[in-house]
């Protein structure tokens, strides 16, 4: 197959299916890269969708139903793809009715993300419901565009305590030369981040969580998301950083150790 798909509940989505979603924002999603019809961290994606549905809607689709919808979309398109899966209530926004959960799956060309290294502007911002990957977050694109106008590639967020938390569509990770440091803040724990953390643990690589500020001296920093497990960052605000190729390679090694599985 050479065409990508948009499916609702395992079947091709119609204009009638999609039109209400263009004007709605009460939904959550997960995103991944499909390679040879398989994905990494399937258990983590299922956990993410289930827990977010429970929190937002008070109900969740059964894992087997979610897997069936993922499978249908993957089998209908190319073996390599970007995939996003959105869960939303049939009742839409501004309603407390029975959610009657629906699932929209979209595939598109595969991606490995932009070329690095990236420079990140520093913005004070805290996401609403930070532990949920929800739709309609205008601030992400707003601060990206402002950062680019200022001569940066993207933006990183600091919270009210001055701690770095995450970037617009990225998790952050740092390096002190021997240990991977994860920022202590209210963040969305990404699936790629979780994959890397558990594989680093299996590899015996030291990790710790601690507050990081733009004034700290570090040996390296990266961003990561469903595109890539590590893209070097060479600047955060006024802080200049070495590219730390060994750190980037280590994160890719950890990610590659995760088994690809079929839904």
């Amino acid at each position: 197959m050479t065409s990508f798909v948009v499916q609702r509940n395992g079947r091709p989505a119609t204009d009638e299916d999609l039109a209400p979603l263009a004007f709605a924002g009460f939904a959550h999603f997960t995103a991944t890269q499909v390679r040879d019809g398989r994905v990494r961290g399937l258990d983590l994606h299922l956990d993410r969708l289930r827990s977010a549905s429970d929190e937002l809607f008070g109900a969740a689709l059964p894992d087997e139903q979610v897997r069936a919808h993922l499978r249908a979309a993957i089998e209908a398109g190319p073996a390599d793809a970007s995939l996003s899966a959105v869960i939303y209530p049939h009742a839409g926004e501004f309603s407390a009715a029975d959610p009657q959960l629906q699932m929209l799956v979209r595939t598109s060309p595969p991606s490995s993300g932009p070329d690095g290294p990236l420079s990140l502007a520093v913005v004070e911002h805290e996401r609403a419901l930070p532990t949920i990957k929800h739709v309609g977050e205008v601030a992400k694109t707003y601060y990206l565009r402002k950062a680019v106008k200022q001569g940066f590639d993207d933006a990183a967020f600091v919270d009210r305590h001055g701690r770095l938390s995450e970037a617009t569509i990225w998790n952050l990770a740092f390096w002190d030369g021997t240990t991977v440091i994860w920022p202590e803040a209210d963040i969305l724990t990404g699936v790629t981040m979780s994959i890397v953390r558990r594989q680093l643990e299996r590899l015996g690589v030291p990790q710790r969580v601690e507050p990081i500020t733009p004034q700290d001296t570090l040996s390296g920093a990266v961003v990561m998301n469903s595109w890539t497990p590590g893209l070097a960052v060479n600047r955060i605000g006024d802080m200049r950083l070495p590219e730390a190729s060994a750190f980037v390679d280590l994160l890719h090694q950890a990610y590659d150790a995760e088994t690809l599985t079929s839904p």
Side-chain angles (χ1 to χ4, degrees):
M1 302 293 293
T2 58
S3 59
F4 298 98
V5 302
V6 178
Q7 295 186 350
R8 174 178 173 269
N9 298 335
R11 298 181 179 180
T14 65
D15 291 346
E16 184 178 355
D17 294 330
L18 298 176
L21 301 181
F23 302 95
F26 189 50
H28 67 87
F29 71 106
T30 195
T32 188
Q33 291 296 309
V34 179
R35 295 295 182 267
D36 193 27
R38 299 173 295 167
V39 301
R40 288 183 171 87
L42 177 62
D43 61 320
L44 299 170
H45 288 289
L46 295 174
D47 287 347
R48 164 185 274 176
L49 293 176
R50 189 187 324 108
S51 63
S53 286
D54 284 337
E55 177 66 21
L56 288 182
F57 313 128
L61 295 173
D63 285 357
E64 281 307 310
Q65 186 175 346
V66 172
R67 293 181 70 164
H69 294 336
L70 294 174
R71 216 166 31 242
I74 290 172
E75 291 174 353
D80 293 349
S82 299
L83 180 147
S84 58
V86 181
I87 307 290
Y88 64 98
H90 180 73
E93 293 184 295
F94 317 120
S95 171
D98 182 343
Q100 300 179 47
L101 297 181
Q102 314 292 304
M103 183 168 171
L104 192 73
V105 183
R106 175 192 176 193
T107 59
S108 57
S111 177
S112 298
D115 294 330
L118 300 184
S119 60
L120 305 178
V122 175
V123 176
E124 185 174 337
H125 175 67
E126 298 179 34
R127 295 171 52 252
L129 301 175
T131 61
I132 297 175
K133 191 176 179 69
H134 48 81
V135 305
E137 293 188 85
V138 64
K140 292 178 179 179
T141 304
Y142 174 75
Y143 287 123
L144 163 65
R145 292 175 63 87
K146 287 197 72 172
V148 170
K149 287 182 180 179
Q150 294 168 9
F152 293 88
D153 299 306
D154 210 324
F157 300 146
V158 292
D159 64 14
R160 70 194 76 180
H161 308 293
R163 304 176 302 182
L164 285 162
S165 56
E166 52 196 343
T168 55
I169 57 171
W170 312 89
N171 282 121
L172 294 168
F174 304 95
W175 180 242
D176 69 0
T178 59
T179 300
V180 178
I181 306 171
W182 304 99
E184 182 181 295
D186 292 329
I187 65 170
L188 173 68
T189 300
V191 168
T192 299
M193 176 181 174
S194 295
I195 289 172
V196 169
R197 290 180 76 164
R198 70 183 179 188
Q199 291 299 335
L200 287 174
E201 183 175 355
R202 290 170 184 169
L203 291 169
V205 176
Q207 305 176 72
R208 67 177 185 269
V209 178
E210 67 179 40
I212 299 293
T213 75
Q215 292 75 43
D216 290 334
T217 300
L218 298 160
S219 299
V222 300
V223 291
M224 63 178 65
N225 62 12
S226 61
W227 289 332
T228 173
L231 182 64
V233 173
N234 63 4
R235 181 184 174 193
I236 301 179
D238 295 328
M239 177 173 60
R240 300 282 180 172
L241 293 155
E243 290 189 27
S245 59
F247 176 39
V248 175
D249 291 345
L250 175 63
L251 298 177
H252 281 261
Q253 178 189 351
Y255 183 75
D256 290 343
E258 181 82 12
T259 303
L260 286 158
T261 58
S262 300

